[in-house]
Amino acid sequence: MNFTSTVLILPGLGNSGKNHWQSEWERQHPDFKRVNQQEWDAPVCNDWINEIDRAVLANDPAKVVLVGHSLACSTIAFWARTFQRPIKGALLVAPSDTEADSYPAGTTGFTPIPLFKLPFPSIVVASTDDFYVTLARATLFAEAWGSKLVTIGAAGHINVSSGHTSWPEGLQFLKELDS
């Protein structure tokens, strides 16, 4: 599968390990670029959104598609609200609910989650049994962000622990934004 967009990979809290689908996509598509954060385990929202902005501006923003997982999904919403860059789109997979009691401590500035229409097309992919976000909250985020919501059933946090390593179905969602 070929892509015409500039695909920027944005992992969530702790980064995405070598067996994560984001890492696998980078191996399959060497032109996909990971946005590396300075602090993966105790992130500060402003630092993360500034790093996203640097990565977007290093490319033609009109051709950029962001691929966020977990904490990176709300980070993309914070970035969009702050910078209002006209990018091509965003694939938002398993958006974590940083406002939930179950969310891990150690993050700074990721609440409240911005609830506004994103200034670019987006797809939220959610699971019915994600520990980090209820389906109701994922639906709320998708509606507020103006995103197409795709529910993929009982798929956990859509990560290695739930068996999502190469995740070819996810590439199909990305292809929708690439057109």
Side-chain angles (χ1 to χ4, degrees), residues 28 40 60 82 86 109 124 132 134 138-139 142:
Q28 291 174 9
W40 288 108
D60 176 355
T82 302
V124 169
Y132 294 107
T134 65
T139 301

Side-chain angles (χ1 to χ4, degrees), residues 15-83:
N15 200 352
S16 292
K18 67 177 184 165
N19 294 322
H20 193 281
W21 58 267
Q22 287 183 315
S23 301
E24 179 61 29
W25 288 9
E26 288 176 280
R27 283 190 291 277
Q28 291 174 9
H29 302 275
D31 52 329
F32 288 14
K33 302 171 196 163
R34 180 173 301 222
V35 176
N36 284 302
Q37 299 293 347
Q38 293 178 14
E39 177 54 66
W40 288 108
D41 298 319
V44 175
C45 186
N46 283 336
D47 295 344
W48 276 35
I49 67 171
N50 286 326
E51 205 57 49
I52 293 171
D53 202 52
R54 277 191 280 283
V56 168
L57 292 179
N59 295 281
D60 176 355
K63 294 182 179 178
V64 169
V65 175
L66 302 175
V67 177
H69 179 254
S70 194
L71 180 61
C73 298
S74 57
T75 306
I76 290 168
F78 280 104
W79 168 80
R81 184 179 69 189
T82 302
F83 293 102

Side-chain angles (χ1 to χ4, degrees), residues 62-120:
K63 294 182 179 178
V64 169
V65 175
L66 302 175
V67 177
H69 179 254
S70 194
L71 180 61
C73 298
S74 57
T75 306
I76 290 168
F78 280 104
W79 168 80
R81 184 179 69 189
T82 302
F83 293 102
Q84 296 290 313
R85 304 273 185 231
I87 63 169
K88 193 169 186 179
L91 179 62
L92 307 166
V93 180
S96 291
D97 188 352
T98 56
E99 297 171 20
D101 292 338
S102 61
Y103 195 77
T107 61
T108 302
F110 292 92
T111 59
I113 295 171
L115 298 176
F116 73 104
K117 186 172 184 336
L118 297 175
F120 43 80

Side-chain angles (χ1 to χ4, degrees), residues 86 152-153:
I152 62 171

Side-chain angles (χ1 to χ4, degrees), residues 92-103 113 124-143 145 149-158:
L92 307 166
V93 180
S96 291
D97 188 352
T98 56
E99 297 171 20
D101 292 338
S102 61
Y103 195 77
I113 295 171
V124 169
V125 181
S127 165
T128 57
D129 64 348
D130 189 334
F131 179 77
Y132 294 107
V133 67
T134 65
L135 183 57
R137 287 286 284 177
T139 301
L140 171 75
F141 300 154
E143 288 172 355
W145 295 337
L149 175 65
V150 178
T151 306
I152 62 171
H157 193 48
I158 313 174

